[in-house]
Amino acid sequence: MSTVAETRGLTPRQRKTVAGGAIGTLIEYYDYYLYGLASAAVFPAVFFSSDDPVVAQLASFATFAVGFFLRPVGGIVWGIVGDRVGRKVVLMTTVVGMGIATAGIGLIPSDKVIGIAAPLLLILCRLFQGFFVGGEMGGAATMVVEAAPTGRKGLYGAFLITGAGVANVVSGGLMAALGLAPESWFLQWGWRIPFVFSIVLAIVAVILRRHLEESEEFTETQALQLAAAGKKANPLVEAFRHPKNAIMGILIGLPQSIAGYVILTYGLGFMVSNKHLPAWMGFAGTMIVGLLQIVVAPLWGHISDRIGRRTVYIIGCLGFAAMVYPAFALFSTGNMWLIWLGQILGFVVFGVAMQATLSTMLAEMFDAEARTTGVNIGYQVSNTLGGGLAPIICTALVAWAGGSFWPVVVYAAVISIVGVIATLKASIIPDVEGAGRLHELAATTTVKTTV
């Protein structure tokens, strides 16, 4: 496969950068997919005991949404740090914070033991998790895209989503294996093991990231800023120098943000609560999705280097919208093989196309001095408005429709159309090399030196 051959052309420094970025994305998605799986099938019974399963499910998905509220805050804070101090500082800090917050969730006693303190502690850990996750994608995407060779930035940006595929395999696989144990043991102890395991992943990430180096583009931009103005630019101000792209980045990210959480997270809740199917079936399907995602993500990234990020992303939006109905129809059959097929059709084919191209496309919308901040704003705000609210919105819509899933289909279609329009409107510079402000700063420096 050409994508495999092309990775051999990377320098040792570039390989370290890609690996360091991917491990962080792995932990980010591991934490969030794991929480999503648990909020669909575990937390309603452990932290939100209720005679009404719909109320328990809504309360559980509400804590899932809460974690997204601090993601934009974290995105801005860590984005500014990344653009002013360096991407490595951000990547080392966020991965440790994510690991500690996720492990903390696994140590919280149930509401039967400590009452209302249980869900309150869950919300607190979830908020901390969201704050640190908020800085992860922007820093990782920026470092990887800046380090990748011209003409292959889409491919290497997509390797971040390969990390997300591994996260699906690990989180779904652990939950599926543990879910085969007696239900009483799983609900009391079993589900906690994958959460505490996040500490191990964080340690591995720190080891991989300790030798990361800042990109030449970043260091050159910093030097030019100091030479031209005597100080570094304010990344938040620079990100909004072109407000159109800041706003378009948020709208572009919406369909990507809901895809996994509609199909994999809410889909699992739909199967367990509405169709009374065993949770392990959905967990196993998530693992299969992750295995395919590992291969499909770099393939879409490679294609985006050939036909353009914009084209691939629009294909992903429209394809995802078209697959939501057949996916839920297959979920409704109760047949294990058809359920897994529904998860593959609903997410892997087109949802991964959006995931694989979004981070690189966002990086191509901002100049180097504000790139981490710009990527974080688009990615994290869209995930908060889209992915964070998707499971609870879908739960409410299906309850309103008397158990029918047609409103979910409409919801996904509307969000996808918004994404298509925003993608067409955004200003995207393929294979960004710091084109905009970097050249302006260089020109300013030249003039200043001449004078």
Side-chain angles (χ1 to χ4, degrees):
M1 184 181 292
S2 60
T3 54
V4 175
E6 287 182 86
T7 61
R8 295 171 184 161
L10 284 178
T11 65
R13 175 177 175 174
Q14 289 170 328
R15 281 196 293 270
K16 284 192 297 185
T17 301
V18 171
I23 186 65
T25 309
L26 187 161
I27 296 176
E28 173 190 349
Y29 278 87
Y30 175 84
D31 290 350
Y32 265 65
Y33 280 145
L34 183 63
Y35 194 99
L37 295 173
S39 65
V42 175
F43 292 165
V46 175
F47 296 120
F48 303 99
S49 303
S50 172
D51 294 333
D52 188 337
V54 175
V55 170
Q57 188 74 79
L58 284 170
S60 180
F61 280 149
T63 66
F64 177 79
V66 162
F68 285 82
F69 294 160
L70 278 189
R71 283 179 67 157
V73 177
I76 292 172
V77 171
W78 296 116
I80 292 172
V81 174
D83 286 325
R84 299 200 71 165
V85 179
R87 286 69 153 121
K88 181 179 177 178
V89 173
V90 171
L91 295 180
M92 293 293 283
T93 306
T94 55
V95 76
V96 173
M98 288 190 299
I100 292 173
T102 302
I105 291 171
L107 300 176
I108 301 172
S110 71
D111 63 352
K112 295 180 178 64
V113 176
I114 60 173
I116 190 65
L120 291 178
L121 286 172
L122 179 66
I123 291 171
L124 183 62
C125 287
R126 183 69 173 153
L127 287 171
F128 274 109
Q129 188 186 55
F131 178 73
F132 287 107
V133 167
E136 177 60 37
M137 179 57 81
T142 298
M143 184 167 269
V144 169
V145 170
E146 287 178 347
T150 300
R152 288 184 284 178
K153 294 184 183 294
L155 171 63
Y156 295 115
F159 280 124
L160 297 177
I161 304 306
T162 294
V166 176
N168 263 333
V169 173
V170 177
S171 62
L174 284 173
M175 291 293 273
L178 294 165
L180 292 173
E183 185 179 23
S184 59
W185 179 84
F186 176 68
L187 290 178
Q188 185 174 8
W189 300 108
W191 70 269
R192 300 177 184 276
I193 295 172
F195 280 83
V196 177
F197 181 67
S198 184
I199 284 290
V200 176
L201 295 177
I203 292 171
V204 172
V206 168
I207 293 171
L208 286 175
R209 286 179 166 180
R210 73 188 189 280
H211 296 306
L212 287 178
E213 299 176 37
E214 300 294 346
S215 71
E216 292 180 7
E217 183 180 349
F218 173 75
T219 54
E220 288 174 5
T221 299
Q222 297 285 291
L224 286 169
Q225 285 180 5
L226 291 173
K231 62 180 180 178
K232 298 178 182 179
N234 185 317
L236 188 58
V237 172
E238 292 300 318
F240 281 96
R241 277 183 73 248
H242 306 291
K244 172 186 170 183
N245 267 13
I247 295 170
M248 289 301 111
I250 295 170
L251 298 178
I252 287 171
L254 288 176
Q256 178 272 157
S257 72
I258 73 167
Y261 296 121
V262 167
I263 299 298
L264 302 180
T265 301
Y266 173 69
L268 176 60
F270 177 81
M271 287 181 250
V272 172
S273 298
N274 292 62
K275 300 301 175 182
H276 308 293
L277 298 172
W280 70 263
M281 200 178 290
F283 294 152
T286 300
M287 182 178 65
I288 294 169
V289 164
L291 287 169
L292 294 173
Q293 188 175 359
I294 292 170
V295 178
V296 173
L299 179 61
W300 276 119
H302 177 70
I303 292 171
S304 78
D305 284 327
R306 297 294 178 267
I307 67 175
R309 247 70 74 190
R310 199 190 306 263
T311 302
V312 169
Y313 197 80
I314 290 173
I315 290 171
C317 288
L318 297 176
F320 164 66
M323 289 295 108
V324 174
Y325 179 85
F328 276 85
L330 291 168
F331 295 163
S332 299
T333 65
N335 180 282
M336 179 181 71
W337 300 102
L338 294 180
I339 286 172
W340 292 349
L341 177 61
Q343 290 177 305
I344 292 169
L345 291 177
F347 181 67
V348 174
V349 182
F350 296 107
V352 173
M354 293 187 286
Q355 280 194 345
T357 52
L358 179 66
S359 59
T360 305
M361 187 162 61
L362 289 175
E364 292 172 340
M365 292 166 61
F366 297 93
D367 299 315
E369 65 267 33
R371 188 166 295 142
T372 307
T373 305
V375 173
N376 275 342
I377 289 171
Y379 184 78
Q380 303 301 350
V381 175
S382 65
N383 268 277
T384 299
L385 298 177
L389 297 176
I392 196 167
I393 287 174
C394 291
T395 301
L397 288 173
V398 170
W400 169 76
S404 175
F405 60 79
W406 69 263
V408 175
V409 177
V410 176
Y411 166 64
V414 171
I415 296 295
S416 296
I417 291 171
V418 170
V420 168
I421 295 171
T423 304
L424 291 171
K425 295 288 186 181
S427 300
I428 302 170
I429 306 172
D431 273 337
V432 63
E433 293 290 346
R437 285 286 291 163
L438 185 57
H439 292 320
E440 291 177 23
L441 287 166
T444 304
T445 305
T446 303
V447 171
K448 189 174 180 179
T449 303
T450 303
V451 174

